[in-house]
mmCIF file of all heavy atoms in Angstrom:
data_model
loop_
_atom_site.group_PDB
_atom_site.id
_atom_site.type_symbol
_atom_site.label_atom_id
_atom_site.label_comp_id
_atom_site.label_asym_id
_atom_site.label_seq_id
_atom_site.Cartn_x
_atom_site.Cartn_y
_atom_site.Cartn_z
ATOM 1 N N LEU A 1 -12.174 -18.857 -10.982
ATOM 2 C CA LEU A 1 -11.051 -17.901 -10.699
ATOM 3 C C LEU A 1 -9.703 -18.594 -10.730
ATOM 4 O O LEU A 1 -8.632 -17.956 -10.981
ATOM 5 C CB LEU A 1 -11.323 -17.234 -9.357
ATOM 6 C CG LEU A 1 -12.471 -16.208 -9.318
ATOM 7 C CD1 LEU A 1 -12.719 -15.823 -7.847
ATOM 8 C CD2 LEU A 1 -12.050 -14.991 -10.141
ATOM 9 N N GLY A 2 -9.724 -19.843 -10.403
ATOM 10 C CA GLY A 2 -8.403 -20.600 -10.266
ATOM 11 C C GLY A 2 -7.603 -20.585 -11.566
ATOM 12 O O GLY A 2 -6.351 -20.761 -11.530
ATOM 13 N N ARG A 3 -8.247 -20.354 -12.686
ATOM 14 C CA ARG A 3 -7.516 -20.297 -13.965
ATOM 15 C C ARG A 3 -6.605 -19.051 -14.040
ATOM 16 O O ARG A 3 -5.623 -19.073 -14.829
ATOM 17 C CB ARG A 3 -8.473 -20.261 -15.175
ATOM 18 C CG ARG A 3 -9.289 -21.565 -15.298
ATOM 19 C CD ARG A 3 -10.122 -21.611 -16.537
ATOM 20 N NE ARG A 3 -11.233 -20.748 -16.477
ATOM 21 C CZ ARG A 3 -11.407 -19.670 -17.245
ATOM 22 N NH1 ARG A 3 -10.424 -19.273 -18.050
ATOM 23 N NH2 ARG A 3 -12.483 -18.927 -17.150
ATOM 24 N N ALA A 4 -6.816 -18.085 -13.182
ATOM 25 C CA ALA A 4 -6.033 -16.880 -13.192
ATOM 26 C C ALA A 4 -4.974 -16.834 -12.099
ATOM 27 O O ALA A 4 -4.344 -15.830 -11.794
ATOM 28 C CB ALA A 4 -6.867 -15.645 -13.109
ATOM 29 N N ALA A 5 -4.724 -18.003 -11.427
ATOM 30 C CA ALA A 5 -3.674 -18.089 -10.412
ATOM 31 C C ALA A 5 -2.359 -18.686 -10.978
ATOM 32 O O ALA A 5 -2.444 -19.657 -11.816
ATOM 33 C CB ALA A 5 -4.199 -18.875 -9.247
ATOM 34 N N PRO A 6 -1.246 -18.154 -10.560
ATOM 35 C CA PRO A 6 -1.031 -16.990 -9.718
ATOM 36 C C PRO A 6 -1.470 -15.694 -10.425
ATOM 37 O O PRO A 6 -1.387 -15.591 -11.620
ATOM 38 C CB PRO A 6 0.456 -17.020 -9.502
ATOM 39 C CG PRO A 6 1.027 -17.794 -10.608
ATOM 40 C CD PRO A 6 0.081 -18.822 -11.034
ATOM 41 N N VAL A 7 -1.745 -14.687 -9.569
ATOM 42 C CA VAL A 7 -2.441 -13.459 -10.003
ATOM 43 C C VAL A 7 -1.342 -12.399 -10.316
ATOM 44 O O VAL A 7 -0.450 -12.142 -9.537
ATOM 45 C CB VAL A 7 -3.395 -12.992 -8.939
ATOM 46 C CG1 VAL A 7 -4.018 -11.622 -9.289
ATOM 47 C CG2 VAL A 7 -4.493 -14.017 -8.760
ATOM 48 N N ALA A 8 -1.545 -11.702 -11.484
ATOM 49 C CA ALA A 8 -0.746 -10.556 -11.784
ATOM 50 C C ALA A 8 -1.394 -9.259 -11.479
ATOM 51 O O ALA A 8 -0.750 -8.295 -11.085
ATOM 52 C CB ALA A 8 -0.348 -10.609 -13.302
ATOM 53 N N ASP A 9 -2.753 -9.251 -11.651
ATOM 54 C CA ASP A 9 -3.435 -7.925 -11.479
ATOM 55 C C ASP A 9 -4.922 -8.224 -11.182
ATOM 56 O O ASP A 9 -5.468 -9.358 -11.526
ATOM 57 C CB ASP A 9 -3.320 -7.075 -12.725
ATOM 58 C CG ASP A 9 -3.705 -5.592 -12.445
ATOM 59 O OD1 ASP A 9 -3.861 -5.255 -11.246
ATOM 60 O OD2 ASP A 9 -3.948 -4.844 -13.432
ATOM 61 N N VAL A 10 -5.578 -7.242 -10.581
ATOM 62 C CA VAL A 10 -7.051 -7.291 -10.331
ATOM 63 C C VAL A 10 -7.598 -5.955 -10.695
ATOM 64 O O VAL A 10 -7.114 -4.929 -10.257
ATOM 65 C CB VAL A 10 -7.377 -7.569 -8.864
ATOM 66 C CG1 VAL A 10 -8.856 -7.697 -8.673
ATOM 67 C CG2 VAL A 10 -6.776 -8.945 -8.428
ATOM 68 N N ARG A 11 -8.658 -5.911 -11.560
ATOM 69 C CA ARG A 11 -9.278 -4.672 -11.990
ATOM 70 C C ARG A 11 -10.776 -4.705 -11.637
ATOM 71 O O ARG A 11 -11.410 -5.734 -11.787
ATOM 72 C CB ARG A 11 -9.165 -4.536 -13.527
ATOM 73 C CG ARG A 11 -7.757 -4.440 -14.046
ATOM 74 C CD ARG A 11 -7.785 -3.877 -15.514
ATOM 75 N NE ARG A 11 -8.687 -4.626 -16.376
ATOM 76 C CZ ARG A 11 -8.369 -5.674 -17.125
ATOM 77 N NH1 ARG A 11 -7.097 -6.125 -17.115
ATOM 78 N NH2 ARG A 11 -9.310 -6.279 -17.856
ATOM 79 N N ARG A 12 -11.266 -3.549 -11.219
ATOM 80 C CA ARG A 12 -12.669 -3.359 -11.033
ATOM 81 C C ARG A 12 -13.173 -2.706 -12.265
ATOM 82 O O ARG A 12 -12.697 -1.639 -12.704
ATOM 83 C CB ARG A 12 -13.024 -2.538 -9.795
ATOM 84 C CG ARG A 12 -14.521 -2.382 -9.622
ATOM 85 C CD ARG A 12 -14.889 -1.696 -8.379
ATOM 86 N NE ARG A 12 -16.418 -1.757 -8.269
ATOM 87 C CZ ARG A 12 -17.054 -2.258 -7.258
ATOM 88 N NH1 ARG A 12 -16.290 -2.759 -6.209
ATOM 89 N NH2 ARG A 12 -18.332 -2.300 -7.217
ATOM 90 N N GLU A 13 -14.214 -3.310 -12.908
ATOM 91 C CA GLU A 13 -14.794 -2.781 -14.153
ATOM 92 C C GLU A 13 -15.969 -1.850 -13.736
ATOM 93 O O GLU A 13 -16.935 -2.378 -13.207
ATOM 94 C CB GLU A 13 -15.239 -3.895 -15.058
ATOM 95 C CG GLU A 13 -14.210 -5.000 -15.280
ATOM 96 C CD GLU A 13 -13.003 -4.512 -16.104
ATOM 97 O OE1 GLU A 13 -13.005 -3.415 -16.614
ATOM 98 O OE2 GLU A 13 -12.062 -5.315 -16.226
ATOM 99 N N GLY A 14 -15.947 -0.632 -14.019
ATOM 100 C CA GLY A 14 -17.055 0.262 -13.756
ATOM 101 C C GLY A 14 -16.936 0.915 -12.409
ATOM 102 O O GLY A 14 -15.826 0.937 -11.787
ATOM 103 N N SER A 15 -18.062 1.506 -11.945
ATOM 104 C CA SER A 15 -18.033 2.390 -10.755
ATOM 105 C C SER A 15 -17.870 1.612 -9.451
ATOM 106 O O SER A 15 -18.390 0.466 -9.321
ATOM 107 C CB SER A 15 -19.326 3.228 -10.735
ATOM 108 O OG SER A 15 -19.514 3.858 -9.441
ATOM 109 N N LEU A 16 -17.215 2.226 -8.551
ATOM 110 C CA LEU A 16 -17.161 1.668 -7.195
ATOM 111 C C LEU A 16 -18.481 1.414 -6.586
ATOM 112 O O LEU A 16 -18.699 0.510 -5.780
ATOM 113 C CB LEU A 16 -16.355 2.670 -6.297
ATOM 114 C CG LEU A 16 -16.410 2.468 -4.787
ATOM 115 C CD1 LEU A 16 -15.481 1.295 -4.384
ATOM 116 C CD2 LEU A 16 -15.922 3.731 -4.076
ATOM 117 N N HIS A 17 -19.493 2.181 -6.941
ATOM 118 C CA HIS A 17 -20.829 2.105 -6.364
ATOM 119 C C HIS A 17 -21.767 1.219 -7.100
ATOM 120 O O HIS A 17 -22.895 1.051 -6.720
ATOM 121 C CB HIS A 17 -21.409 3.483 -6.322
ATOM 122 C CG HIS A 17 -20.736 4.504 -5.477
ATOM 123 N ND1 HIS A 17 -20.724 4.474 -4.087
ATOM 124 C CD2 HIS A 17 -19.908 5.554 -5.788
ATOM 125 C CE1 HIS A 17 -19.998 5.424 -3.581
ATOM 126 N NE2 HIS A 17 -19.468 6.107 -4.582
ATOM 127 N N ASP A 18 -21.345 0.501 -8.203
ATOM 128 C CA ASP A 18 -22.192 -0.372 -8.943
ATOM 129 C C ASP A 18 -22.157 -1.706 -8.271
ATOM 130 O O ASP A 18 -21.175 -2.484 -8.353
ATOM 131 C CB ASP A 18 -21.667 -0.426 -10.350
ATOM 132 C CG ASP A 18 -22.620 -1.277 -11.285
ATOM 133 O OD1 ASP A 18 -23.633 -1.795 -10.696
ATOM 134 O OD2 ASP A 18 -22.362 -1.383 -12.438
ATOM 135 N N PRO A 19 -23.251 -2.189 -7.608
ATOM 136 C CA PRO A 19 -23.287 -3.483 -6.970
ATOM 137 C C PRO A 19 -23.290 -4.611 -7.980
ATOM 138 O O PRO A 19 -23.072 -5.797 -7.571
ATOM 139 C CB PRO A 19 -24.545 -3.447 -6.141
ATOM 140 C CG PRO A 19 -25.452 -2.455 -6.883
ATOM 141 C CD PRO A 19 -24.590 -1.442 -7.440
ATOM 142 N N PHE A 20 -23.560 -4.354 -9.214
ATOM 143 C CA PHE A 20 -23.557 -5.401 -10.268
ATOM 144 C C PHE A 20 -22.395 -5.277 -11.217
ATOM 145 O O PHE A 20 -22.404 -5.787 -12.350
ATOM 146 C CB PHE A 20 -24.916 -5.357 -11.037
ATOM 147 C CG PHE A 20 -26.113 -5.616 -10.162
ATOM 148 C CD1 PHE A 20 -26.863 -4.538 -9.724
ATOM 149 C CD2 PHE A 20 -26.407 -6.888 -9.765
ATOM 150 C CE1 PHE A 20 -27.954 -4.774 -8.866
ATOM 151 C CE2 PHE A 20 -27.517 -7.124 -8.911
ATOM 152 C CZ PHE A 20 -28.249 -6.059 -8.497
ATOM 153 N N GLY A 21 -21.365 -4.493 -10.776
ATOM 154 C CA GLY A 21 -20.147 -4.383 -11.579
ATOM 155 C C GLY A 21 -19.419 -5.708 -11.633
ATOM 156 O O GLY A 21 -19.726 -6.742 -11.020
ATOM 157 N N ASP A 22 -18.254 -5.742 -12.354
ATOM 158 C CA ASP A 22 -17.479 -6.893 -12.537
ATOM 159 C C ASP A 22 -16.067 -6.705 -11.942
ATOM 160 O O ASP A 22 -15.551 -5.518 -11.834
ATOM 161 C CB ASP A 22 -17.355 -7.271 -13.973
ATOM 162 C CG ASP A 22 -18.651 -7.829 -14.582
ATOM 163 O OD1 ASP A 22 -19.421 -8.461 -13.776
ATOM 164 O OD2 ASP A 22 -18.927 -7.556 -15.750
ATOM 165 N N ILE A 23 -15.427 -7.789 -11.602
ATOM 166 C CA ILE A 23 -14.043 -7.878 -11.279
ATOM 167 C C ILE A 23 -13.302 -8.743 -12.267
ATOM 168 O O ILE A 23 -13.757 -9.899 -12.567
ATOM 169 C CB ILE A 23 -13.794 -8.417 -9.832
ATOM 170 C CG1 ILE A 23 -14.479 -7.508 -8.806
ATOM 171 C CG2 ILE A 23 -12.338 -8.709 -9.518
ATOM 172 C CD1 ILE A 23 -13.713 -6.227 -8.550
ATOM 173 N N THR A 24 -12.190 -8.191 -12.826
ATOM 174 C CA THR A 24 -11.317 -9.025 -13.761
ATOM 175 C C THR A 24 -10.033 -9.348 -13.000
ATOM 176 O O THR A 24 -9.335 -8.489 -12.530
ATOM 177 C CB THR A 24 -11.105 -8.241 -15.005
ATOM 178 O OG1 THR A 24 -12.314 -7.994 -15.671
ATOM 179 C CG2 THR A 24 -10.167 -9.051 -15.920
ATOM 180 N N VAL A 25 -9.755 -10.639 -12.914
ATOM 181 C CA VAL A 25 -8.567 -11.144 -12.354
ATOM 182 C C VAL A 25 -7.633 -11.584 -13.444
ATOM 183 O O VAL A 25 -8.051 -12.396 -14.344
ATOM 184 C CB VAL A 25 -8.792 -12.290 -11.399
ATOM 185 C CG1 VAL A 25 -7.453 -12.769 -10.743
ATOM 186 C CG2 VAL A 25 -9.779 -11.885 -10.313
ATOM 187 N N VAL A 26 -6.467 -11.021 -13.553
ATOM 188 C CA VAL A 26 -5.498 -11.325 -14.614
ATOM 189 C C VAL A 26 -4.419 -12.235 -14.036
ATOM 190 O O VAL A 26 -3.764 -11.868 -13.031
ATOM 191 C CB VAL A 26 -4.906 -10.037 -15.214
ATOM 192 C CG1 VAL A 26 -3.925 -10.343 -16.370
ATOM 193 C CG2 VAL A 26 -6.006 -9.060 -15.629
ATOM 194 N N GLY A 27 -4.153 -13.361 -14.720
ATOM 195 C CA GLY A 27 -3.074 -14.251 -14.269
ATOM 196 C C GLY A 27 -1.794 -13.885 -14.821
ATOM 197 O O GLY A 27 -1.680 -13.068 -15.757
ATOM 198 N N GLU A 28 -0.672 -14.404 -14.202
ATOM 199 C CA GLU A 28 0.683 -14.070 -14.659
ATOM 200 C C GLU A 28 0.898 -14.550 -16.106
ATOM 201 O O GLU A 28 1.754 -14.040 -16.807
ATOM 202 C CB GLU A 28 1.683 -14.720 -13.734
ATOM 203 C CG GLU A 28 1.718 -14.053 -12.362
ATOM 204 C CD GLU A 28 2.771 -14.632 -11.424
ATOM 205 O OE1 GLU A 28 3.381 -15.658 -11.818
ATOM 206 O OE2 GLU A 28 2.977 -14.087 -10.318
ATOM 207 N N ASP A 29 0.081 -15.583 -16.597
ATOM 208 C CA ASP A 29 0.270 -16.071 -17.932
ATOM 209 C C ASP A 29 -0.644 -15.303 -18.945
ATOM 210 O O ASP A 29 -0.757 -15.678 -20.094
ATOM 211 C CB ASP A 29 -0.079 -17.558 -18.008
ATOM 212 C CG ASP A 29 -1.487 -17.895 -17.590
ATOM 213 O OD1 ASP A 29 -2.199 -16.928 -17.258
ATOM 214 O OD2 ASP A 29 -1.871 -19.062 -17.631
ATOM 215 N N GLY A 30 -1.313 -14.242 -18.420
ATOM 216 C CA GLY A 30 -2.128 -13.381 -19.309
ATOM 217 C C GLY A 30 -3.616 -13.834 -19.291
ATOM 218 O O GLY A 30 -4.441 -13.096 -19.854
ATOM 219 N N THR A 31 -3.932 -14.925 -18.649
ATOM 220 C CA THR A 31 -5.367 -15.353 -18.558
ATOM 221 C C THR A 31 -6.176 -14.322 -17.774
ATOM 222 O O THR A 31 -5.768 -13.864 -16.728
ATOM 223 C CB THR A 31 -5.505 -16.705 -17.878
ATOM 224 O OG1 THR A 31 -4.728 -17.694 -18.518
ATOM 225 C CG2 THR A 31 -6.949 -17.119 -17.762
ATOM 226 N N GLU A 32 -7.321 -13.980 -18.394
ATOM 227 C CA GLU A 32 -8.228 -13.060 -17.684
ATOM 228 C C GLU A 32 -9.590 -13.720 -17.378
ATOM 229 O O GLU A 32 -10.144 -14.387 -18.242
ATOM 230 C CB GLU A 32 -8.513 -11.818 -18.537
ATOM 231 C CG GLU A 32 -7.308 -10.964 -18.780
ATOM 232 C CD GLU A 32 -7.624 -9.592 -19.454
ATOM 233 O OE1 GLU A 32 -8.852 -9.358 -19.618
ATOM 234 O OE2 GLU A 32 -6.706 -8.803 -19.676
ATOM 235 N N VAL A 33 -9.985 -13.615 -16.136
ATOM 236 C CA VAL A 33 -11.265 -14.157 -15.669
ATOM 237 C C VAL A 33 -12.101 -13.038 -15.138
ATOM 238 O O VAL A 33 -11.650 -12.337 -14.248
ATOM 239 C CB VAL A 33 -11.064 -15.259 -14.595
ATOM 240 C CG1 VAL A 33 -12.420 -15.739 -14.060
ATOM 241 C CG2 VAL A 33 -10.233 -16.400 -15.168
ATOM 242 N N THR A 34 -13.325 -12.853 -15.667
ATOM 243 C CA THR A 34 -14.209 -11.821 -15.176
ATOM 244 C C THR A 34 -15.370 -12.406 -14.488
ATOM 245 O O THR A 34 -15.992 -13.369 -14.945
ATOM 246 C CB THR A 34 -14.683 -10.952 -16.358
ATOM 247 O OG1 THR A 34 -13.524 -10.369 -16.988
ATOM 248 C CG2 THR A 34 -15.616 -9.878 -15.868
ATOM 249 N N ILE A 35 -15.695 -11.861 -13.321
ATOM 250 C CA ILE A 35 -16.798 -12.401 -12.465
ATOM 251 C C ILE A 35 -17.464 -11.176 -11.799
ATOM 252 O O ILE A 35 -16.844 -10.166 -11.622
ATOM 253 C CB ILE A 35 -16.202 -13.385 -11.402
ATOM 254 C CG1 ILE A 35 -17.309 -14.032 -10.606
ATOM 255 C CG2 ILE A 35 -15.208 -12.636 -10.475
ATOM 256 C CD1 ILE A 35 -16.800 -15.073 -9.622
ATOM 257 N N GLY A 36 -18.741 -11.375 -11.470
ATOM 258 C CA GLY A 36 -19.454 -10.317 -10.825
ATOM 259 C C GLY A 36 -18.870 -9.962 -9.453
ATOM 260 O O GLY A 36 -18.332 -10.828 -8.796
ATOM 261 N N VAL A 37 -18.977 -8.702 -9.088
ATOM 262 C CA VAL A 37 -18.312 -8.251 -7.887
ATOM 263 C C VAL A 37 -18.943 -8.909 -6.642
ATOM 264 O O VAL A 37 -18.239 -9.226 -5.683
ATOM 265 C CB VAL A 37 -18.376 -6.646 -7.733
ATOM 266 C CG1 VAL A 37 -19.822 -6.206 -7.609
ATOM 267 C CG2 VAL A 37 -17.517 -6.235 -6.564
ATOM 268 N N ARG A 38 -20.249 -9.196 -6.610
ATOM 269 C CA ARG A 38 -20.900 -9.869 -5.484
ATOM 270 C C ARG A 38 -20.346 -11.284 -5.325
ATOM 271 O O ARG A 38 -19.942 -11.647 -4.202
ATOM 272 C CB ARG A 38 -22.401 -9.823 -5.633
ATOM 273 C CG ARG A 38 -23.000 -8.422 -5.292
ATOM 274 C CD ARG A 38 -24.476 -8.532 -5.359
ATOM 275 N NE ARG A 38 -25.095 -7.384 -4.724
ATOM 276 C CZ ARG A 38 -26.476 -7.140 -4.626
ATOM 277 N NH1 ARG A 38 -27.264 -8.057 -5.194
ATOM 278 N NH2 ARG A 38 -26.888 -6.036 -4.098
ATOM 279 N N PRO A 39 -20.418 -12.142 -6.345
ATOM 280 C CA PRO A 39 -19.884 -13.447 -6.154
ATOM 281 C C PRO A 39 -18.408 -13.481 -5.860
ATOM 282 O O PRO A 39 -17.920 -14.382 -5.133
ATOM 283 C CB PRO A 39 -20.223 -14.269 -7.494
ATOM 284 C CG PRO A 39 -20.535 -13.193 -8.446
ATOM 285 C CD PRO A 39 -21.089 -12.010 -7.646
ATOM 286 N N PHE A 40 -17.621 -12.551 -6.430
ATOM 287 C CA PHE A 40 -16.215 -12.428 -6.061
ATOM 288 C C PHE A 40 -16.040 -12.155 -4.631
ATOM 289 O O PHE A 40 -15.189 -12.779 -3.918
ATOM 290 C CB PHE A 40 -15.602 -11.290 -6.877
ATOM 291 C CG PHE A 40 -14.165 -11.057 -6.598
ATOM 292 C CD1 PHE A 40 -13.128 -11.808 -7.142
ATOM 293 C CD2 PHE A 40 -13.797 -10.010 -5.708
ATOM 294 C CE1 PHE A 40 -11.774 -11.603 -6.850
ATOM 295 C CE2 PHE A 40 -12.475 -9.824 -5.358
ATOM 296 C CZ PHE A 40 -11.454 -10.613 -5.927
ATOM 297 N N ARG A 41 -16.729 -11.223 -4.076
ATOM 298 C CA ARG A 41 -16.677 -10.803 -2.636
ATOM 299 C C ARG A 41 -17.043 -12.023 -1.758
ATOM 300 O O ARG A 41 -16.325 -12.339 -0.781
ATOM 301 C CB ARG A 41 -17.597 -9.636 -2.330
ATOM 302 C CG ARG A 41 -17.561 -9.264 -0.796
ATOM 303 C CD ARG A 41 -18.498 -8.087 -0.539
ATOM 304 N NE ARG A 41 -19.907 -8.447 -0.559
ATOM 305 C CZ ARG A 41 -20.618 -8.926 0.452
ATOM 306 N NH1 ARG A 41 -19.994 -9.119 1.587
ATOM 307 N NH2 ARG A 41 -21.887 -9.225 0.347
#
């Protein structure tokens, strides 16, 4: 996740109720890092 710091945006991919969904963190330089919602939490 450190590659996306400092952060410009955070997106949840898919349903709020999907425990296996993904989180995408977008850095100010445009770098996007996608990680599972559970390990992110």
Side-chain angles (χ1 to χ4, degrees):
L1 288 170
R3 294 188 287 110
V7 175
D9 194 15
V10 181
R11 299 194 307 266
R12 181 174 188 123
E13 311 291 353
S15 168
L16 167 74
H17 297 286
D18 184 359
F20 297 100
D22 289 328
I23 294 290
T24 297
V25 181
V26 182
E28 290 182 353
D29 62 359
T31 300
E32 294 192 2
V33 176
T34 300
I35 184 174
V37 65
R38 281 184 169 179
F40 175 84
R41 177 181 73 88

